[in-house]
Amino acid sequence: MIFSKVVSEQLENYIQLVIAGISTGSIYGLIALAFLIIYNTTKIVNFAQGEMVMVGAMMAFFGIGISKFNYFGTILLVLAAMIVLSYVFRYALVAPLQRRGAPMFSIIIGTIAFGTVVSEGIGLWLGKQQYGVPPIIPNNPIHFLNLSILPQSLLIIIVSLVLVVAIWYFFHKTMIGLSLRAVAINPDGAKVSGINISRMVAIGFALSALVSGIGGMLIAPVAGASPYMGLSIAVKGFAAAILGGMGNMYAGMVGGLIIGVIESLLSYNFAAYAEPITYGIMLFMLFVKPTGLFPEHS
Amino acid sequence: MYDKLASSWVSKFVGWAAALLILFMPFYVENQYYLRVMMMIGIFALLGLGLNFLFGYTGQISLGHAAFYAFGAYGSAILETKLGVPFLAAWVITLLFTGLVAYAMSVPILKLKGHYLAMATIGFGLIIESILSQWVSVTGGHDGITLLTVNILGPWLSQNLYYFIVGSAMIALWMLNNITRSSVGRAHQALRDDEDAAEALGIPVKNYKVNAFVLSAVLAALAGIWYVHLSMVITPEVFNLSVSIQILMMVVVGGMGSNYGAVLGAVFLIALPEFLYEFKDANIFIYGLIVLIVLLFFPKGLIGMVEAVLRPVGRLFKGEDKQNSFGQLEGKRGV
């Protein structure tokens, strides 16, 4: 009897860890999704994706923590900030570089420099420290069987899944989404068919920024908000995208969940090496199968 | 373009004079602070020259260069303080070890291209960074390693570290100038511009990429060795991802694909905070903005601007020659 109790306690422990892993993994998946929206519509690799998440988190802090907006107002503020950011990103950085026909490396470095400027700028504005952000819903753990689950984790998982489904619906069932995919597959053909390419690219960028902003808003109550949170979170997003497969927009979510669960389980036993092992998985995947677990079909 | 400038006797003379002036700076500059800034410039020039050969000339991006910098610093520090190896042997072992690791890494990593390569090098850099902070028994974790340069190098050498650092940076510049002007250097640029075409011309693309990777790693390790003996304390924060990014930005600001550009980028990176002392908080913000402006409006970097200024001057001394108008056409440089 005692033995079985120990086993069931162990099991509960692991289930708890898996749930926590799924929750952080959904965030990684959201970042991967945002990253892959830009990559799959414009072939631009956005190394400033983490900073977009950071802006979402910091604006949530600015809305709730400093300006004492209500939650609805904060959400609107974050979404507006993300759309502005996506326009700045496009018209101040990507469009001039592309007009000049700059090589891909210049665009990569440009997005890195853009991310640095954004995070330092936010740091100058709101201060360079870590802030706590109060959760959107009351944060008393829900008890279910013998497990206790934080409502915020549940919210993260639900919102992420809803977003993935919504993005899928957008790209496969709506006219704008289909046009956007057409632009990605063949820009000239899309142009001939009367699709306004410039508008489509703007929509793609805005969509990606919105998804990352929502990711930032979700993670802020769990991990806090800081101007420098972007880089480490972006790398997890890249790892998720690579694990899933860069060519497949939705595979990033699966990659994110896998990485989140592995990281959560590892951090229970080898906390010190949980992160390097995650990067190790990314490297291994790059060396062995750079196309990812679920190669492209879209 | 500046190759032609360099071949004129005036610029040769000016170059030698400048090199001697900089190398013997301790004779006429009393201020230790300026000498220290010069040494930091030397260290970052080594980092920049190495990465520029890999990225600017060979077209392989690396966002994990601080890892090799860390190999040099931690390798020599651990050998000297914990194992009591004499310093010259420790330096040679560190450089050889870094070269070997880079060689082993280059086989899988250089198969990747473009953003895959960028992400793989980020991953590599982050793994080394976490090991530095987690493997406490060897690396000292976040406390780092303290090293008393005087005890290891003796009083005379530690007083004259300047000549080692600045001298080695100058030798590296001279060596890379010779390499990049030779047929091997042109082959590197050819494979940067079009790998398949280069391969079709019989250039051993794979070998050259590996060579560039190993050479740039060894130069970064040398910079790390100098850094630990100069600052006498190292912590993982000195070798994190943002340092890798800074090294890359430095190459871009200086001018990709120009050795003098890499040095100029190092001067700029180290000297800029000295001028921006009033805006200490906004240092990196301003630096990031400058990188963006250079990328958007001056793709040839600072060295491109310097060349644009120097070109008429050089023409003055050389007299009119018809090659110049032809040379302007090929002035296009960069990845």
Side-chain angles (χ1 to χ4, degrees), chain A residues 35 39 45 92-93 100 103-105 109-110 112-113 117 121 128 231 235 242 246 272-273 276 279 282-283 286 290, chain B residues 55 59 61 112 114-116 119-120 122 126-127 130 134-135 241 245 249 252 281 284-285 288-289 292 295-296 299 335:
Chain A
F35 175 70
Y39 178 70
V45 179
L93 181 73
R100 207 185 64 212
M104 188 249 297
F105 281 135
I109 294 166
I112 295 173
V117 168
K128 294 182 178 178
L231 212 52
V235 178
I242 287 167
M246 297 270 289
Y273 288 105
Y279 306 135
M282 178 175 94
L283 270 188
L286 277 172
Chain B
F55 179 54
I61 200 168
L112 302 168
H115 53 273
Y116 288 113
M119 283 176 193
I122 287 184
L126 285 172
I127 289 174
S130 339
Q134 303 296 347
W135 197 11
L241 178 53
I245 291 178
M249 299 283 174
V252 173
D281 261 0
I284 305 176
F285 179 72
L289 276 183
L292 277 182
L295 264 183
L296 288 174
V335 192

Side-chain angles (χ1 to χ4, degrees), chain B residues 168-321:
Chain B
S168 65
M170 282 179 174
I171 292 171
L173 174 64
W174 172 76
M175 190 182 79
L176 281 169
N177 262 341
N178 284 344
I179 293 177
T180 49
R181 266 183 228 153
S182 70
S183 60
V184 175
R186 285 195 299 275
H188 276 267
Q189 292 170 53
L191 82 88
R192 168 193 77 195
D193 295 335
D194 190 336
E195 214 167 282
D196 296 333
E199 186 121 49
L201 286 172
I203 294 171
V205 168
K206 212 180 274 170
N207 289 352
Y208 277 14
K209 283 205 267 185
V210 171
N211 291 350
F213 196 74
V214 172
L215 178 63
S216 77
V218 169
L219 283 176
L222 185 62
I225 292 177
W226 297 147
Y227 179 80
V228 68
H229 290 92
L230 176 64
S231 75
M232 298 198 241
V233 60
I234 41 173
T235 54
E237 288 76 39
V238 187
F239 308 101
N240 63 15
L241 178 53
S242 40
V243 176
S244 297
I245 291 178
Q246 264 183 357
I247 303 171
L248 187 65
M249 299 283 174
M250 185 173 89
V251 171
V252 173
V253 168
M256 282 179 266
S258 159
N259 293 316
Y260 290 102
V263 176
L264 209 57
V267 173
F268 193 69
L269 177 77
I270 302 295
L272 187 74
E274 312 295 329
F275 291 111
L276 293 177
Y277 198 72
E278 312 261 311
F279 314 94
K280 224 176 169 183
D281 261 0
N283 250 341
I284 305 176
F285 179 72
I286 296 171
Y287 191 69
L289 276 183
I290 291 172
V291 173
L292 277 182
I293 291 169
V294 166
L295 264 183
L296 288 174
F297 303 109
F298 309 99
K300 279 196 243 165
L302 291 176
I303 199 72
M305 297 182 212
V306 173
E307 278 171 21
V309 174
L310 283 186
R311 201 170 294 143
V313 180
R315 208 174 289 156
L316 240 162
F317 283 104
K318 273 202 291 184
E320 207 55 50
D321 65 345

